[in-house]
Amino acid sequence: MTILALIIYYYYEQIIIINSAFIYAEATFWIVTAYFIYIAGTFFLYLYMPSLNNAEQEQYYVLNYIFTIIRTLLICVALFVKPGSNKIDRNNLI
Protein backbone atom coordinates (compact mmCIF):
# COMPACT_ATOMS: atom_id res chain seq x y z
CA MET A 1 0.00 0.00 0.00
CA THR A 2 2.83 2.38 0.79
CA ILE A 3 4.48 1.83 -2.57
CA LEU A 4 1.18 2.44 -4.37
CA ALA A 5 0.72 5.68 -2.40
CA LEU A 6 4.25 6.82 -3.32
CA ILE A 7 3.67 6.04 -6.98
CA ILE A 8 0.42 8.00 -7.01
CA TYR A 9 2.24 10.89 -5.33
CA TYR A 10 4.90 10.72 -8.08
CA TYR A 11 2.22 11.04 -10.77
CA TYR A 12 0.57 13.90 -8.87
CA GLU A 13 3.89 15.72 -8.57
CA GLN A 14 4.60 15.28 -12.28
CA ILE A 15 1.22 16.79 -13.12
CA ILE A 16 1.62 19.78 -10.79
CA ILE A 17 5.32 20.57 -11.42
CA ILE A 18 6.00 20.43 -15.14
CA ASN A 19 9.72 19.95 -15.77
CA SER A 20 9.60 18.21 -19.11
CA ALA A 21 7.71 18.57 -22.35
CA PHE A 22 6.64 14.94 -22.36
CA ILE A 23 6.56 12.91 -19.15
CA TYR A 24 6.85 9.65 -21.07
CA ALA A 25 10.21 10.75 -22.48
CA GLU A 26 11.85 10.15 -19.08
CA ALA A 27 13.15 6.78 -17.90
CA THR A 28 11.79 7.42 -14.39
CA PHE A 29 8.24 7.53 -15.72
CA TRP A 30 8.57 4.12 -17.36
CA ILE A 31 10.11 2.53 -14.27
CA VAL A 32 7.43 3.95 -11.97
CA THR A 33 4.70 2.91 -14.40
CA ALA A 34 6.13 -0.61 -14.64
CA TYR A 35 6.04 -1.11 -10.90
CA PHE A 36 2.63 0.56 -10.61
CA ILE A 37 1.09 -1.87 -13.09
CA TYR A 38 2.84 -4.85 -11.51
CA ILE A 39 1.93 -4.00 -7.91
CA ALA A 40 -1.62 -2.93 -8.73
CA GLY A 41 -2.15 -6.05 -10.85
CA THR A 42 -0.87 -8.53 -8.29
CA PHE A 43 -1.94 -6.87 -5.03
CA PHE A 44 -5.36 -8.51 -4.80
CA LEU A 45 -4.02 -11.79 -6.15
CA TYR A 46 -1.69 -12.05 -3.16
CA LEU A 47 -4.62 -11.37 -0.82
CA TYR A 48 -6.81 -14.10 -2.33
CA MET A 49 -4.07 -16.70 -2.81
CA PRO A 50 -4.70 -18.65 0.46
CA SER A 51 -8.39 -19.11 -0.34
CA LEU A 52 -7.85 -20.55 -3.84
CA ASN A 53 -7.79 -24.22 -4.74
CA ASN A 54 -5.09 -25.77 -6.95
CA ALA A 55 -6.85 -25.13 -10.28
CA GLU A 56 -7.45 -21.50 -9.41
CA GLN A 57 -3.86 -21.10 -8.21
CA GLU A 58 -2.65 -22.07 -11.69
CA GLN A 59 -4.67 -19.18 -13.12
CA TYR A 60 -3.08 -16.95 -10.50
CA TYR A 61 0.38 -17.92 -11.67
CA VAL A 62 -0.54 -17.14 -15.29
CA LEU A 63 -1.73 -13.65 -14.28
CA ASN A 64 1.37 -13.14 -12.18
CA TYR A 65 3.59 -14.09 -15.14
CA ILE A 66 1.68 -11.69 -17.42
CA PHE A 67 2.19 -8.77 -15.04
CA THR A 68 5.85 -9.72 -14.62
CA ILE A 69 6.33 -9.68 -18.40
CA ILE A 70 4.60 -6.28 -18.68
CA ARG A 71 6.83 -4.89 -15.91
CA THR A 72 9.95 -6.22 -17.60
CA LEU A 73 8.98 -4.78 -21.00
CA LEU A 74 8.32 -1.34 -19.52
CA ILE A 75 11.68 -1.37 -17.74
CA CYS A 76 13.28 -2.27 -21.09
CA VAL A 77 11.56 0.77 -22.61
CA ALA A 78 13.11 2.88 -19.83
CA LEU A 79 16.57 1.65 -20.83
CA PHE A 80 16.16 2.96 -24.39
CA VAL A 81 14.82 6.42 -23.52
CA LYS A 82 17.30 9.14 -24.42
CA PRO A 83 18.00 11.12 -21.23
CA GLY A 84 17.81 14.91 -21.07
CA SER A 85 16.23 15.55 -24.46
CA ASN A 86 12.85 16.82 -23.30
CA LYS A 87 13.60 19.49 -20.70
CA ILE A 88 11.55 22.68 -20.82
CA ASP A 89 13.56 25.89 -20.97
CA ARG A 90 11.62 28.23 -18.69
CA ASN A 91 13.43 31.32 -20.06
CA ASN A 92 11.86 30.86 -23.48
CA LEU A 93 8.33 30.61 -22.09
CA ILE A 94 8.10 34.31 -21.17
Side-chain angles (χ1 to χ4, degrees):
M1 292 297 285
T2 305
I3 294 173
L4 285 175
L6 289 172
I7 290 171
I8 291 171
Y9 177 73
Y10 168 80
Y11 287 133
Y12 171 77
E13 186 178 86
Q14 292 299 316
I15 290 170
I16 298 300
I17 304 170
I18 301 173
N19 291 332
S20 61
F22 302 105
I23 188 173
Y24 53 82
E26 296 181 10
T28 308
F29 169 78
W30 291 108
I31 293 170
V32 170
T33 302
Y35 281 100
F36 179 69
I37 290 173
Y38 176 73
I39 292 170
T42 59
F43 177 73
F44 293 107
L45 295 176
Y46 284 123
L47 291 178
Y48 291 120
M49 186 68 169
S51 65
L52 301 176
N53 61 23
N54 289 338
E56 293 170 336
Q57 284 182 0
E58 291 175 9
Q59 293 174 352
Y60 159 78
Y61 289 123
V62 171
L63 285 174
N64 192 26
Y65 293 143
I66 289 170
F67 284 113
T68 302
I69 290 169
I70 291 171
R71 181 194 65 194
T72 305
L73 289 175
L74 290 176
I75 291 175
C76 288
V77 169
L79 291 174
F80 293 109
V81 171
K82 185 177 177 184
S85 63
N86 66 334
K87 298 292 180 193
I88 293 178
D89 186 14
R90 299 228 182 246
N91 295 331
N92 292 336
L93 294 176
I94 300 176

